[in-house]
Amino acid sequence: MPSLNLVVLGKQGAGKGTQCKRLAEIYAIPHVSTGDILRAAVKAGSPLGHEVAAIMDAGDLVSDELVIRLVDARFQEPDAQRGALLDGFPRTIHQAEALEALLGEDGIKLCINLEVPIALVTERLSSRRVCQECGNIYKDTDIEAISGTCSNCGGDVVQRRDDQPDAIRQRLEAYERDTEPLLAFYQERGLLVEVNGDQSPDEVTIAIKASIAAKGLA
Ligand code: AMP
């Protein structure tokens, strides 16, 4: 059976993480977020974590070679044999080319771009709070953010260091410069679909499912 390898693109704060969590359940494929893998390494204090912590705090990209190695290893795991939802990867044309080489014939089936205005993502990012344990996302006005305790798992709810204003600006600039060219990359391959991310999470999920169905993928 061909695998359902999907790329989800969109600016930071466009809702990629939220949608990928839902889609991973719907299609029974893993949510592979390079940002989550790197944050887990930083939290664990591993050598990889030490290598990337300062780069991530500043909102800069870590090296292509490093994330390509991480994704390559992740694709070897049994749960990724039926496909994966890629969130935060690829981030550069070089990464997208490496991904094509890695997957070979059974490549990316669709690239979903969550389109959200810049003012809205800036607002979403600065008010975002995240559970350090399960990754659940809250707003600064939610009870979980105010109490600092996740209602899903009891973990600590914190503001990501790269959700501070300077790092947000840096990350959005990096997105425009390095990642937006990927839209043309996937468009040329006939794989790009645009989804309006400025709707409720349920509406976004419905729109994404419709695009996947329209391509006869699931
Ligand atoms: P994210 O959660 O996707 O916004 O990623 C958080 C941070 O992890 C980014 O600002 C980068 O420092 C790093 N990172 C995550 N994915 C990548 C990637 N594909 N290429 C380079 N750096 C990445």
Side-chain angles (χ1 to χ4, degrees), residues 1-8 23-24 26-32 75 79-86 103 106-112 208-209 211-213 215-218:
M1 195 169 72
S3 5
L4 186 60
N5 292 312
L6 305 173
V7 167
V8 180
L23 298 167
I26 295 170
Y27 297 107
I29 50 176
H31 170 202
V32 176
F75 270 118
D79 66 338
Q81 302 316 304
R82 290 190 54 244
L85 276 154
L86 290 169
L103 293 175
D106 194 18
I108 293 299
K109 301 297 178 336
L110 201 62
C111 170
I112 298 146
I208 296 175
K209 280 173 67 182
S211 320
I212 292 174
K215 293 270 177 184
L217 293 173

PDB file of all heavy atoms in Angstrom, residues 1-8 23-24 26-32 75 79-86 103 106-112 208-209 211-213 215-218:
ATOM      1  N   MET A   1       0.853  -1.203   0.000  1.00  0.00           N
ATOM      2  CA  MET A   1       0.000   0.000   0.000  1.00  0.00           C
ATOM      3  C   MET A   1       0.886   1.250   0.000  1.00  0.00           C
ATOM      4  O   MET A   1       1.822   1.313   0.791  1.00  0.00           O
ATOM      5  CB  MET A   1      -0.876  -0.010   1.258  1.00  0.00           C
ATOM      6  CG  MET A   1      -2.019   0.969   1.192  1.00  0.00           C
ATOM      7  SD  MET A   1      -3.194   0.730   2.526  1.00  0.00           S
ATOM      8  CE  MET A   1      -2.288   1.324   3.939  1.00  0.00           C
ATOM      9  N   PRO A   2       0.592   2.242  -0.893  1.00  0.00           N
ATOM     10  CA  PRO A   2       1.426   3.453  -0.866  1.00  0.00           C
ATOM     11  C   PRO A   2       1.241   4.199   0.454  1.00  0.00           C
ATOM     12  O   PRO A   2       0.171   4.130   1.055  1.00  0.00           O
ATOM     13  CB  PRO A   2       0.897   4.278  -2.046  1.00  0.00           C
ATOM     14  CG  PRO A   2      -0.411   3.690  -2.406  1.00  0.00           C
ATOM     15  CD  PRO A   2      -0.491   2.313  -1.850  1.00  0.00           C
ATOM     16  N   SER A   3       2.276   4.889   0.894  1.00  0.00           N
ATOM     17  CA  SER A   3       2.135   5.573   2.189  1.00  0.00           C
ATOM     18  C   SER A   3       1.582   6.974   2.006  1.00  0.00           C
ATOM     19  O   SER A   3       1.744   7.604   0.965  1.00  0.00           O
ATOM     20  CB  SER A   3       3.456   5.635   2.939  1.00  0.00           C
ATOM     21  OG  SER A   3       4.508   5.149   2.213  1.00  0.00           O
ATOM     22  N   LEU A   4       0.909   7.419   3.070  1.00  0.00           N
ATOM     23  CA  LEU A   4       0.281   8.744   3.049  1.00  0.00           C
ATOM     24  C   LEU A   4       1.251   9.737   3.690  1.00  0.00           C
ATOM     25  O   LEU A   4       1.167  10.039   4.879  1.00  0.00           O
ATOM     26  CB  LEU A   4      -1.042   8.681   3.830  1.00  0.00           C
ATOM     27  CG  LEU A   4      -1.918   9.936   3.797  1.00  0.00           C
ATOM     28  CD1 LEU A   4      -2.317  10.289   2.371  1.00  0.00           C
ATOM     29  CD2 LEU A   4      -3.166   9.728   4.649  1.00  0.00           C
ATOM     30  N   ASN A   5       2.201  10.213   2.878  1.00  0.00           N
ATOM     31  CA  ASN A   5       3.161  11.199   3.393  1.00  0.00           C
ATOM     32  C   ASN A   5       2.665  12.594   3.054  1.00  0.00           C
ATOM     33  O   ASN A   5       2.544  12.942   1.879  1.00  0.00           O
ATOM     34  CB  ASN A   5       4.536  10.971   2.761  1.00  0.00           C
ATOM     35  CG  ASN A   5       5.161   9.675   3.225  1.00  0.00           C
ATOM     36  OD1 ASN A   5       5.193   9.397   4.431  1.00  0.00           O
ATOM     37  ND2 ASN A   5       5.629   8.864   2.298  1.00  0.00           N
ATOM     38  N   LEU A   6       2.367  13.372   4.084  1.00  0.00           N
ATOM     39  CA  LEU A   6       1.794  14.704   3.886  1.00  0.00           C
ATOM     40  C   LEU A   6       2.695  15.753   4.511  1.00  0.00           C
ATOM     41  O   LEU A   6       3.185  15.571   5.634  1.00  0.00           O
ATOM     42  CB  LEU A   6       0.414  14.791   4.552  1.00  0.00           C
ATOM     43  CG  LEU A   6      -0.623  13.737   4.148  1.00  0.00           C
ATOM     44  CD1 LEU A   6      -1.868  13.863   5.015  1.00  0.00           C
ATOM     45  CD2 LEU A   6      -0.993  13.876   2.677  1.00  0.00           C
ATOM     46  N   VAL A   7       2.882  16.864   3.784  1.00  0.00           N
ATOM     47  CA  VAL A   7       3.618  18.002   4.342  1.00  0.00           C
ATOM     48  C   VAL A   7       2.599  19.078   4.715  1.00  0.00           C
ATOM     49  O   VAL A   7       1.720  19.399   3.912  1.00  0.00           O
ATOM     50  CB  VAL A   7       4.602  18.583   3.296  1.00  0.00           C
ATOM     51  CG1 VAL A   7       5.145  19.935   3.735  1.00  0.00           C
ATOM     52  CG2 VAL A   7       5.743  17.617   3.039  1.00  0.00           C
ATOM     53  N   VAL A   8       2.708  19.605   5.930  1.00  0.00           N
ATOM     54  CA  VAL A   8       1.836  20.711   6.315  1.00  0.00           C
ATOM     55  C   VAL A   8       2.694  21.961   6.458  1.00  0.00           C
ATOM     56  O   VAL A   8       3.596  22.017   7.300  1.00  0.00           O
ATOM     57  CB  VAL A   8       1.074  20.408   7.624  1.00  0.00           C
ATOM     58  CG1 VAL A   8       0.174  21.565   8.001  1.00  0.00           C
ATOM     59  CG2 VAL A   8       0.247  19.131   7.468  1.00  0.00           C
ATOM     60  N   LEU A  23      -5.157  15.216  12.539  1.00  0.00           N
ATOM     61  CA  LEU A  23      -5.047  14.411  11.319  1.00  0.00           C
ATOM     62  C   LEU A  23      -4.311  13.099  11.597  1.00  0.00           C
ATOM     63  O   LEU A  23      -4.616  12.068  10.997  1.00  0.00           O
ATOM     64  CB  LEU A  23      -4.317  15.207  10.228  1.00  0.00           C
ATOM     65  CG  LEU A  23      -5.038  16.492   9.787  1.00  0.00           C
ATOM     66  CD1 LEU A  23      -4.111  17.369   8.957  1.00  0.00           C
ATOM     67  CD2 LEU A  23      -6.303  16.167   8.987  1.00  0.00           C
ATOM     68  N   ALA A  24      -3.363  13.137  12.528  1.00  0.00           N
ATOM     69  CA  ALA A  24      -2.623  11.925  12.879  1.00  0.00           C
ATOM     70  C   ALA A  24      -3.600  10.873  13.411  1.00  0.00           C
ATOM     71  O   ALA A  24      -3.482   9.685  13.094  1.00  0.00           O
ATOM     72  CB  ALA A  24      -1.557  12.241  13.922  1.00  0.00           C
ATOM     73  N   ILE A  26      -6.945  10.825  12.795  1.00  0.00           N
ATOM     74  CA  ILE A  26      -7.907  10.465  11.740  1.00  0.00           C
ATOM     75  C   ILE A  26      -7.305   9.446  10.771  1.00  0.00           C
ATOM     76  O   ILE A  26      -7.943   8.467  10.407  1.00  0.00           O
ATOM     77  CB  ILE A  26      -8.364  11.737  10.977  1.00  0.00           C
ATOM     78  CG1 ILE A  26      -9.136  12.659  11.925  1.00  0.00           C
ATOM     79  CG2 ILE A  26      -9.205  11.375   9.748  1.00  0.00           C
ATOM     80  CD1 ILE A  26      -9.420  14.055  11.358  1.00  0.00           C
ATOM     81  N   TYR A  27      -6.041   9.675  10.360  1.00  0.00           N
ATOM     82  CA  TYR A  27      -5.452   8.816   9.329  1.00  0.00           C
ATOM     83  C   TYR A  27      -4.502   7.756   9.905  1.00  0.00           C
ATOM     84  O   TYR A  27      -3.897   6.996   9.130  1.00  0.00           O
ATOM     85  CB  TYR A  27      -4.728   9.682   8.282  1.00  0.00           C
ATOM     86  CG  TYR A  27      -5.689  10.605   7.557  1.00  0.00           C
ATOM     87  CD1 TYR A  27      -5.697  11.977   7.815  1.00  0.00           C
ATOM     88  CD2 TYR A  27      -6.622  10.105   6.656  1.00  0.00           C
ATOM     89  CE1 TYR A  27      -6.593  12.823   7.179  1.00  0.00           C
ATOM     90  CE2 TYR A  27      -7.523  10.935   6.022  1.00  0.00           C
ATOM     91  CZ  TYR A  27      -7.506  12.293   6.286  1.00  0.00           C
ATOM     92  OH  TYR A  27      -8.404  13.115   5.659  1.00  0.00           O
ATOM     93  N   ALA A  28      -4.391   7.721  11.238  1.00  0.00           N
ATOM     94  CA  ALA A  28      -3.532   6.724  11.910  1.00  0.00           C
ATOM     95  C   ALA A  28      -2.098   6.713  11.368  1.00  0.00           C
ATOM     96  O   ALA A  28      -1.537   5.672  11.028  1.00  0.00           O
ATOM     97  CB  ALA A  28      -4.157   5.325  11.813  1.00  0.00           C
ATOM     98  N   ILE A  29      -1.553   7.912  11.232  1.00  0.00           N
ATOM     99  CA  ILE A  29      -0.142   8.053  10.849  1.00  0.00           C
ATOM    100  C   ILE A  29       0.507   9.007  11.859  1.00  0.00           C
ATOM    101  O   ILE A  29      -0.183   9.852  12.430  1.00  0.00           O
ATOM    102  CB  ILE A  29       0.031   8.598   9.393  1.00  0.00           C
ATOM    103  CG1 ILE A  29      -0.816   9.865   9.169  1.00  0.00           C
ATOM    104  CG2 ILE A  29      -0.293   7.534   8.359  1.00  0.00           C
ATOM    105  CD1 ILE A  29      -0.612  10.514   7.800  1.00  0.00           C
ATOM    106  N   PRO A  30       1.814   8.871  12.111  1.00  0.00           N
ATOM    107  CA  PRO A  30       2.427   9.707  13.148  1.00  0.00           C
ATOM    108  C   PRO A  30       2.583  11.177  12.740  1.00  0.00           C
ATOM    109  O   PRO A  30       2.753  11.490  11.558  1.00  0.00           O
ATOM    110  CB  PRO A  30       3.798   9.065  13.363  1.00  0.00           C
ATOM    111  CG  PRO A  30       4.078   8.303  12.120  1.00  0.00           C
ATOM    112  CD  PRO A  30       2.756   7.887  11.544  1.00  0.00           C
ATOM    113  N   HIS A  31       2.488  12.034  13.746  1.00  0.00           N
ATOM    114  CA  HIS A  31       2.748  13.467  13.584  1.00  0.00           C
ATOM    115  C   HIS A  31       4.235  13.668  13.839  1.00  0.00           C
ATOM    116  O   HIS A  31       4.703  13.477  14.955  1.00  0.00           O
ATOM    117  CB  HIS A  31       1.888  14.226  14.619  1.00  0.00           C
ATOM    118  CG  HIS A  31       2.225  15.675  14.737  1.00  0.00           C
ATOM    119  ND1 HIS A  31       1.905  16.408  15.864  1.00  0.00           N
ATOM    120  CD2 HIS A  31       2.838  16.547  13.905  1.00  0.00           C
ATOM    121  CE1 HIS A  31       2.300  17.660  15.705  1.00  0.00           C
ATOM    122  NE2 HIS A  31       2.868  17.765  14.525  1.00  0.00           N
ATOM    123  N   VAL A  32       4.964  14.037  12.798  1.00  0.00           N
ATOM    124  CA  VAL A  32       6.410  14.208  12.936  1.00  0.00           C
ATOM    125  C   VAL A  32       6.724  15.695  12.888  1.00  0.00           C
ATOM    126  O   VAL A  32       6.677  16.324  11.826  1.00  0.00           O
ATOM    127  CB  VAL A  32       7.157  13.446  11.818  1.00  0.00           C
ATOM    128  CG1 VAL A  32       8.647  13.706  11.895  1.00  0.00           C
ATOM    129  CG2 VAL A  32       6.864  11.950  11.910  1.00  0.00           C
ATOM    130  N   PHE A  75      11.824   8.207   9.927  1.00  0.00           N
ATOM    131  CA  PHE A  75      11.143   7.426   8.888  1.00  0.00           C
ATOM    132  C   PHE A  75      11.481   5.926   8.962  1.00  0.00           C
ATOM    133  O   PHE A  75      10.780   5.109   8.376  1.00  0.00           O
ATOM    134  CB  PHE A  75      11.474   7.965   7.487  1.00  0.00           C
ATOM    135  CG  PHE A  75      10.515   9.023   7.009  1.00  0.00           C
ATOM    136  CD1 PHE A  75      10.948  10.312   6.737  1.00  0.00           C
ATOM    137  CD2 PHE A  75       9.160   8.730   6.834  1.00  0.00           C
ATOM    138  CE1 PHE A  75      10.064  11.293   6.306  1.00  0.00           C
ATOM    139  CE2 PHE A  75       8.270   9.705   6.400  1.00  0.00           C
ATOM    140  CZ  PHE A  75       8.724  10.992   6.141  1.00  0.00           C
ATOM    141  N   ASP A  79       6.154   2.810  12.967  1.00  0.00           N
ATOM    142  CA  ASP A  79       4.877   3.513  12.826  1.00  0.00           C
ATOM    143  C   ASP A  79       4.855   4.465  11.628  1.00  0.00           C
ATOM    144  O   ASP A  79       3.790   4.944  11.239  1.00  0.00           O
ATOM    145  CB  ASP A  79       4.519   4.272  14.121  1.00  0.00           C
ATOM    146  CG  ASP A  79       5.492   5.394  14.415  1.00  0.00           C
ATOM    147  OD1 ASP A  79       6.636   5.351  13.907  1.00  0.00           O
ATOM    148  OD2 ASP A  79       5.125   6.326  15.146  1.00  0.00           O
ATOM    149  N   ALA A  80       6.013   4.742  11.039  1.00  0.00           N
ATOM    150  CA  ALA A  80       6.053   5.677   9.910  1.00  0.00           C
ATOM    151  C   ALA A  80       5.972   4.951   8.561  1.00  0.00           C
ATOM    152  O   ALA A  80       6.043   5.594   7.512  1.00  0.00           O
ATOM    153  CB  ALA A  80       7.321   6.528   9.984  1.00  0.00           C
ATOM    154  N   GLN A  81       5.811   3.632   8.613  1.00  0.00           N
ATOM    155  CA  GLN A  81       5.827   2.882   7.339  1.00  0.00           C
ATOM    156  C   GLN A  81       4.561   3.114   6.510  1.00  0.00           C
ATOM    157  O   GLN A  81       4.555   2.937   5.309  1.00  0.00           O
ATOM    158  CB  GLN A  81       6.048   1.379   7.585  1.00  0.00           C
ATOM    159  CG  GLN A  81       7.347   1.077   8.329  1.00  0.00           C
ATOM    160  CD  GLN A  81       8.537   1.882   7.781  1.00  0.00           C
ATOM    161  OE1 GLN A  81       8.826   1.811   6.590  1.00  0.00           O
ATOM    162  NE2 GLN A  81       9.209   2.655   8.621  1.00  0.00           N
ATOM    163  N   ARG A  82       3.470   3.540   7.166  1.00  0.00           N
ATOM    164  CA  ARG A  82       2.226   3.819   6.434  1.00  0.00           C
ATOM    165  C   ARG A  82       2.131   5.289   6.028  1.00  0.00           C
ATOM    166  O   ARG A  82       1.153   5.703   5.424  1.00  0.00           O
ATOM    167  CB  ARG A  82       1.009   3.461   7.298  1.00  0.00           C
ATOM    168  CG  ARG A  82       0.838   1.959   7.500  1.00  0.00           C
ATOM    169  CD  ARG A  82      -0.494   1.647   8.132  1.00  0.00           C
ATOM    170  NE  ARG A  82      -1.589   2.230   7.384  1.00  0.00           N
ATOM    171  CZ  ARG A  82      -2.417   3.181   7.848  1.00  0.00           C
ATOM    172  NH1 ARG A  82      -2.269   3.639   9.065  1.00  0.00           N
ATOM    173  NH2 ARG A  82      -3.378   3.657   7.100  1.00  0.00           N
ATOM    174  N   GLY A  83       3.118   6.087   6.431  1.00  0.00           N
ATOM    175  CA  GLY A  83       3.115   7.498   6.087  1.00  0.00           C
ATOM    176  C   GLY A  83       3.356   8.353   7.319  1.00  0.00           C
ATOM    177  O   GLY A  83       3.561   7.842   8.420  1.00  0.00           O
ATOM    178  N   ALA A  84       3.339   9.664   7.129  1.00  0.00           N
ATOM    179  CA  ALA A  84       3.590  10.587   8.239  1.00  0.00           C
ATOM    180  C   ALA A  84       3.075  11.970   7.870  1.00  0.00           C
ATOM    181  O   ALA A  84       2.959  12.316   6.692  1.00  0.00           O
ATOM    182  CB  ALA A  84       5.084  10.647   8.536  1.00  0.00           C
ATOM    183  N   LEU A  85       2.773  12.726   8.909  1.00  0.00           N
ATOM    184  CA  LEU A  85       2.389  14.136   8.744  1.00  0.00           C
ATOM    185  C   LEU A  85       3.579  14.962   9.138  1.00  0.00           C
ATOM    186  O   LEU A  85       3.971  14.986  10.307  1.00  0.00           O
ATOM    187  CB  LEU A  85       1.273  14.457   9.732  1.00  0.00           C
ATOM    188  CG  LEU A  85      -0.112  14.101   9.275  1.00  0.00           C
ATOM    189  CD1 LEU A  85      -0.989  13.861  10.481  1.00  0.00           C
ATOM    190  CD2 LEU A  85      -0.676  15.239   8.435  1.00  0.00           C
ATOM    191  N   LEU A  86       4.163  15.646   8.177  1.00  0.00           N
ATOM    192  CA  LEU A  86       5.373  16.407   8.465  1.00  0.00           C
ATOM    193  C   LEU A  86       5.028  17.844   8.813  1.00  0.00           C
ATOM    194  O   LEU A  86       4.397  18.562   8.023  1.00  0.00           O
ATOM    195  CB  LEU A  86       6.300  16.351   7.257  1.00  0.00           C
ATOM    196  CG  LEU A  86       6.915  14.975   7.016  1.00  0.00           C
ATOM    197  CD1 LEU A  86       7.607  14.926   5.675  1.00  0.00           C
ATOM    198  CD2 LEU A  86       7.896  14.631   8.132  1.00  0.00           C
ATOM    199  N   LEU A 103      12.552   9.672   0.357  1.00  0.00           N
ATOM    200  CA  LEU A 103      11.317   8.896   0.187  1.00  0.00           C
ATOM    201  C   LEU A 103      11.291   8.132  -1.131  1.00  0.00           C
ATOM    202  O   LEU A 103      10.540   7.167  -1.269  1.00  0.00           O
ATOM    203  CB  LEU A 103      10.092   9.815   0.265  1.00  0.00           C
ATOM    204  CG  LEU A 103       9.822  10.457   1.616  1.00  0.00           C
ATOM    205  CD1 LEU A 103       8.652  11.429   1.516  1.00  0.00           C
ATOM    206  CD2 LEU A 103       9.518   9.393   2.673  1.00  0.00           C
ATOM    207  N   ASP A 106       7.855   6.496  -3.476  1.00  0.00           N
ATOM    208  CA  ASP A 106       6.687   6.615  -2.607  1.00  0.00           C
ATOM    209  C   ASP A 106       6.783   7.945  -1.850  1.00  0.00           C
ATOM    210  O   ASP A 106       6.901   7.977  -0.636  1.00  0.00           O
ATOM    211  CB  ASP A 106       6.674   5.432  -1.637  1.00  0.00           C
ATOM    212  CG  ASP A 106       5.331   5.298  -0.947  1.00  0.00           C
ATOM    213  OD1 ASP A 106       4.350   5.858  -1.448  1.00  0.00           O
ATOM    214  OD2 ASP A 106       5.286   4.629   0.099  1.00  0.00           O
ATOM    215  N   GLY A 107       6.709   9.026  -2.611  1.00  0.00           N
ATOM    216  CA  GLY A 107       7.070  10.334  -2.051  1.00  0.00           C
ATOM    217  C   GLY A 107       5.938  11.064  -1.358  1.00  0.00           C
ATOM    218  O   GLY A 107       4.981  10.460  -0.874  1.00  0.00           O
ATOM    219  N   ILE A 108       6.058  12.390  -1.330  1.00  0.00           N
ATOM    220  CA  ILE A 108       5.041  13.245  -0.725  1.00  0.00           C
ATOM    221  C   ILE A 108       3.781  13.198  -1.594  1.00  0.00           C
ATOM    222  O   ILE A 108       3.850  13.354  -2.812  1.00  0.00           O
ATOM    223  CB  ILE A 108       5.581  14.692  -0.622  1.00  0.00           C
ATOM    224  CG1 ILE A 108       6.743  14.751   0.373  1.00  0.00           C
ATOM    225  CG2 ILE A 108       4.485  15.673  -0.243  1.00  0.00           C
ATOM    226  CD1 ILE A 108       6.388  14.344   1.785  1.00  0.00           C
ATOM    227  N   LYS A 109       2.625  12.983  -0.948  1.00  0.00           N
ATOM    228  CA  LYS A 109       1.377  12.866  -1.713  1.00  0.00           C
ATOM    229  C   LYS A 109       0.653  14.212  -1.817  1.00  0.00           C
ATOM    230  O   LYS A 109      -0.116  14.446  -2.746  1.00  0.00           O
ATOM    231  CB  LYS A 109       0.447  11.835  -1.050  1.00  0.00           C
ATOM    232  CG  LYS A 109       1.047  10.450  -0.937  1.00  0.00           C
ATOM    233  CD  LYS A 109       1.317   9.894  -2.323  1.00  0.00           C
ATOM    234  CE  LYS A 109       1.967   8.536  -2.387  1.00  0.00           C
ATOM    235  NZ  LYS A 109       2.745   8.037  -1.315  1.00  0.00           N
ATOM    236  N   LEU A 110       0.869  15.066  -0.810  1.00  0.00           N
ATOM    237  CA  LEU A 110       0.177  16.358  -0.816  1.00  0.00           C
ATOM    238  C   LEU A 110       0.901  17.311   0.130  1.00  0.00           C
ATOM    239  O   LEU A 110       1.426  16.892   1.158  1.00  0.00           O
ATOM    240  CB  LEU A 110      -1.252  16.137  -0.298  1.00  0.00           C
ATOM    241  CG  LEU A 110      -2.313  17.186  -0.665  1.00  0.00           C
ATOM    242  CD1 LEU A 110      -2.497  17.242  -2.176  1.00  0.00           C
ATOM    243  CD2 LEU A 110      -3.646  16.838  -0.009  1.00  0.00           C
ATOM    244  N   CYS A 111       0.904  18.601  -0.261  1.00  0.00           N
ATOM    245  CA  CYS A 111       1.442  19.622   0.630  1.00  0.00           C
ATOM    246  C   CYS A 111       0.298  20.588   0.930  1.00  0.00           C
ATOM    247  O   CYS A 111      -0.252  21.213   0.015  1.00  0.00           O
ATOM    248  CB  CYS A 111       2.595  20.342  -0.061  1.00  0.00           C
ATOM    249  SG  CYS A 111       3.121  21.792   0.844  1.00  0.00           S
ATOM    250  N   ILE A 112      -0.063  20.674   2.204  1.00  0.00           N
ATOM    251  CA  ILE A 112      -1.197  21.508   2.607  1.00  0.00           C
ATOM    252  C   ILE A 112      -0.644  22.802   3.189  1.00  0.00           C
ATOM    253  O   ILE A 112       0.111  22.769   4.168  1.00  0.00           O
ATOM    254  CB  ILE A 112      -2.031  20.760   3.678  1.00  0.00           C
ATOM    255  CG1 ILE A 112      -2.585  19.457   3.086  1.00  0.00           C
ATOM    256  CG2 ILE A 112      -3.147  21.651   4.232  1.00  0.00           C
ATOM    257  CD1 ILE A 112      -2.676  18.331   4.068  1.00  0.00           C
ATOM    258  N   ILE A 208      -9.200  20.433   5.232  1.00  0.00           N
ATOM    259  CA  ILE A 208      -8.032  19.600   4.914  1.00  0.00           C
ATOM    260  C   ILE A 208      -8.489  18.195   4.499  1.00  0.00           C
ATOM    261  O   ILE A 208      -8.015  17.636   3.506  1.00  0.00           O
ATOM    262  CB  ILE A 208      -7.053  19.508   6.113  1.00  0.00           C
ATOM    263  CG1 ILE A 208      -6.466  20.887   6.434  1.00  0.00           C
ATOM    264  CG2 ILE A 208      -5.944  18.508   5.815  1.00  0.00           C
ATOM    265  CD1 ILE A 208      -5.585  20.920   7.676  1.00  0.00           C
ATOM    266  N   LYS A 209      -9.445  17.640   5.258  1.00  0.00           N
ATOM    267  CA  LYS A 209      -9.933  16.289   4.927  1.00  0.00           C
ATOM    268  C   LYS A 209     -10.528  16.274   3.516  1.00  0.00           C
ATOM    269  O   LYS A 209     -10.348  15.316   2.765  1.00  0.00           O
ATOM    270  CB  LYS A 209     -10.995  15.854   5.942  1.00  0.00           C
ATOM    271  CG  LYS A 209     -10.391  15.354   7.244  1.00  0.00           C
ATOM    272  CD  LYS A 209     -11.453  15.088   8.283  1.00  0.00           C
ATOM    273  CE  LYS A 209     -12.354  13.921   7.928  1.00  0.00           C
ATOM    274  NZ  LYS A 209     -13.413  13.727   8.941  1.00  0.00           N
ATOM    275  N   SER A 211      -9.644  18.161   0.986  1.00  0.00           N
ATOM    276  CA  SER A 211      -8.561  18.196  -0.019  1.00  0.00           C
ATOM    277  C   SER A 211      -7.923  16.825  -0.171  1.00  0.00           C
ATOM    278  O   SER A 211      -7.555  16.419  -1.282  1.00  0.00           O
ATOM    279  CB  SER A 211      -7.431  19.147   0.374  1.00  0.00           C
ATOM    280  OG  SER A 211      -7.896  20.295   0.934  1.00  0.00           O
ATOM    281  N   ILE A 212      -7.771  16.127   0.948  1.00  0.00           N
ATOM    282  CA  ILE A 212      -7.148  14.793   0.896  1.00  0.00           C
ATOM    283  C   ILE A 212      -8.072  13.831   0.137  1.00  0.00           C
ATOM    284  O   ILE A 212      -7.628  13.062  -0.720  1.00  0.00           O
ATOM    285  CB  ILE A 212      -6.837  14.296   2.331  1.00  0.00           C
ATOM    286  CG1 ILE A 212      -5.723  15.171   2.942  1.00  0.00           C
ATOM    287  CG2 ILE A 212      -6.451  12.824   2.342  1.00  0.00           C
ATOM    288  CD1 ILE A 212      -5.416  14.900   4.407  1.00  0.00           C
ATOM    289  N   ALA A 213      -9.365  13.949   0.417  1.00  0.00           N
ATOM    290  CA  ALA A 213     -10.335  13.076  -0.264  1.00  0.00           C
ATOM    291  C   ALA A 213     -10.399  13.404  -1.759  1.00  0.00           C
ATOM    292  O   ALA A 213     -10.472  12.506  -2.602  1.00  0.00           O
ATOM    293  CB  ALA A 213     -11.711  13.208   0.385  1.00  0.00           C
ATOM    294  N   LYS A 215      -8.169  14.308  -3.683  1.00  0.00           N
ATOM    295  CA  LYS A 215      -7.029  13.725  -4.408  1.00  0.00           C
ATOM    296  C   LYS A 215      -7.101  12.201  -4.422  1.00  0.00           C
ATOM    297  O   LYS A 215      -6.167  11.523  -4.881  1.00  0.00           O
ATOM    298  CB  LYS A 215      -5.715  14.152  -3.736  1.00  0.00           C
ATOM    299  CG  LYS A 215      -5.426  15.629  -3.859  1.00  0.00           C
ATOM    300  CD  LYS A 215      -4.623  15.912  -5.114  1.00  0.00           C
ATOM    301  CE  LYS A 215      -4.403  17.417  -5.251  1.00  0.00           C
ATOM    302  NZ  LYS A 215      -3.710  17.751  -6.482  1.00  0.00           N
ATOM    303  N   GLY A 216      -8.165  11.666  -3.804  1.00  0.00           N
ATOM    304  CA  GLY A 216      -8.333  10.195  -3.768  1.00  0.00           C
ATOM    305  C   GLY A 216      -7.306   9.516  -2.886  1.00  0.00           C
ATOM    306  O   GLY A 216      -6.961   8.349  -3.071  1.00  0.00           O
ATOM    307  N   LEU A 217      -6.812  10.260  -1.878  1.00  0.00           N
ATOM    308  CA  LEU A 217      -5.727   9.703  -1.050  1.00  0.00           C
ATOM    309  C   LEU A 217      -6.229   8.913   0.141  1.00  0.00           C
ATOM    310  O   LEU A 217      -5.510   8.108   0.708  1.00  0.00           O
ATOM    311  CB  LEU A 217      -4.829  10.846  -0.545  1.00  0.00           C
ATOM    312  CG  LEU A 217      -4.026  11.574  -1.623  1.00  0.00           C
ATOM    313  CD1 LEU A 217      -3.326  12.781  -1.049  1.00  0.00           C
ATOM    314  CD2 LEU A 217      -3.021  10.621  -2.234  1.00  0.00           C
ATOM    315  N   ALA A 218      -7.439   9.182   0.585  1.00  0.00           N
ATOM    316  CA  ALA A 218      -7.968   8.455   1.761  1.00  0.00           C
ATOM    317  C   ALA A 218      -9.486   8.563   1.752  1.00  0.00           C
ATOM    318  O   ALA A 218     -10.035   9.423   1.084  1.00  0.00           O
ATOM    319  CB  ALA A 218      -7.424   9.044   3.043  1.00  0.00           C
TER     320      ALA A 218
END
